């Protein structure tokens, strides 16, 4: 199941499906653009909306690699050694 199918299923379960999908889309785009997510959510009036938070999480999960989840991966250790 891809992220949009999950979002659509969650939207159907929410009190306001349109708001959920709007917030999800805004969260996805904010994560893609980078910057302060809390500031962006507040600016567009979606701070605290579950859809916004899940949109950010879905974008980050889709873009993540195995190294993002394993802090002791060899590449991570090598970067630490090189920083010394």
């Amino acid at each position: 199941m891809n992220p949009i199918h999950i979002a659509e299923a969650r939207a159907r379960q929410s009190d306001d499906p349109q708001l959920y999908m709007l917030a999800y889309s805004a969260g996805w785009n904010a994560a893609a653009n980078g910057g302060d997510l809390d500031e962006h959510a507040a600016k567009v009036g979606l701070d605290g909306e579950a859809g916004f938070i899940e949109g950010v999480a879905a974008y980050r999960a889709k873009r993540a690699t195995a190294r993002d989840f394993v802090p002791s991966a060899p590449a991570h250790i090598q970067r630490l050694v090189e920083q010394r």
Side-chain angles (χ1 to χ4, degrees), residues 7-65:
E8 288 171 346
R10 290 190 190 272
R12 285 190 291 277
Q13 297 170 353
S14 75
D15 294 335
D16 187 346
Q18 282 185 305
L19 176 60
Y20 181 92
M21 290 305 295
L22 174 71
Y24 181 90
S25 178
W28 180 284
N29 290 330
N33 293 335
D36 186 339
L37 297 173
D38 290 330
E39 181 181 315
H40 182 76
K43 185 168 78 174
V44 295
L46 296 170
D47 49 328
E49 288 293 331
F52 186 88
I53 296 163
E54 290 187 22
V56 170
Y59 178 83
R60 288 181 174 171
K62 187 161 182 73
R63 303 290 302 161
T65 64

